[in-house]
Amino acid sequence: MTEAPISMGRRERNKRAKLERIVAAASTLFAAHGADDVTTQQIADAADIGTGTLFLYAKTKGELLLLVQNAHYEEALERGRAAADGIGDPVDALMAVIRPVVECNRVQVDNGRTYLREMVFGDPTEPRHAEALEIALRTESALAAVIARRPEISEADAAVLARVVSSVMFLTMAAGVNATADTETLLADIRTQISVLTRRGE
């Protein structure tokens, strides 16, 4: 009777260890070669597991990319949210939220664009896709909090404007025409668009 909890604990530790190996292997291979040029077999081999076991944690390569990247995007969002707290200028504060997210996306450009594609077009009921969509929603909330600092803007209007700003950010990162653009060029483009939006709201 007393062995069951110990056994359950061991199973959970084994599962966690396998997940950590999968994330480490996928992260290394994706960073070196790009997600599109890495196979699930390569990831399974690097993680020292079978492909059947790999598919218990992520059914597709897209889900593996989300598994690897979600934590990075979440950390980037938290850095941006913290940076915006001490900034008074509305556009500067919005860009403080946005900058770490864009920088995260451009660490490996092809992976960043594939991540956005998976987030938008993937199965929203799949846990990794759901996590990515939740990060996108939290990004909108962080932007809305900055916009709502202006007393003339209601919370409802701030939420709408935040969705527009978020769309500007994600579309600018995902656009094929920007595939070769560097991070600072993308940020300057996003800032220009946001500046026009905020001027119209004055």
Side-chain angles (χ1 to χ4, degrees):
M1 295 292 291
T2 58
E3 292 183 2
I6 297 173
S7 178
M8 286 291 290
R10 185 177 299 115
R11 283 200 294 272
E12 288 304 315
R13 287 195 299 273
N14 287 340
K15 285 174 62 177
R16 188 177 299 112
K18 286 178 183 176
L19 179 61
E20 289 172 355
R21 294 206 308 273
I22 290 167
V23 170
S27 182
T28 299
L29 288 168
F30 288 162
H33 307 291
D36 291 342
D37 292 328
V38 174
T39 67
T40 52
Q41 184 64 60
Q42 287 174 312
I43 295 169
D45 290 345
D48 195 25
I49 59 171
T51 53
T53 300
L54 178 65
F55 291 140
L56 294 175
Y57 293 85
K59 295 181 178 64
T60 67
K61 190 166 60 174
E63 290 178 18
L64 280 167
L65 180 62
L66 290 167
L67 174 64
V68 168
Q69 295 286 66
N70 280 342
H72 297 315
Y73 277 79
E74 191 159 8
E75 291 168 6
L77 174 58
E78 291 310 311
R79 289 198 307 274
R81 193 197 304 269
D85 282 345
I87 298 176
D89 180 81
V91 175
D92 287 345
L94 288 171
M95 291 306 299
V97 175
I98 289 168
R99 173 177 281 278
V101 177
V102 175
E103 289 174 341
C104 178
N105 180 263
R106 305 302 278 189
V107 168
Q108 214 284 358
V109 174
D110 289 340
N111 289 348
R113 297 181 70 229
T114 301
Y115 175 86
L116 296 177
R117 185 174 67 239
E118 287 291 332
M119 181 180 71
V120 173
F121 297 109
D123 178 4
T125 64
E126 191 280 320
R128 310 306 175 190
H129 289 85
E131 288 170 8
L133 292 172
E134 177 61 26
I135 294 167
L137 287 174
R138 291 207 302 275
T139 302
E140 285 186 21
S141 295
L143 295 169
V146 171
I147 295 168
R149 294 176 189 173
R150 293 171 58 178
E152 72 275 16
I153 298 180
S154 68
E155 286 189 12
D157 285 349
V160 172
L161 284 168
R163 181 166 295 181
V164 175
V165 171
S166 178
S167 297
V168 165
M169 177 182 67
F170 284 119
L171 286 172
T172 302
M173 291 190 296
V177 70
N178 291 330
T180 58
D182 62 29
T183 301
E184 293 304 322
T185 299
L186 287 187
L187 288 166
D189 186 9
I190 293 167
R191 185 184 183 92
T192 297
Q193 296 178 70
I194 290 174
S195 296
V196 171
L197 287 171
T198 55
R199 284 202 302 271
R200 290 177 66 86
E202 292 176 350

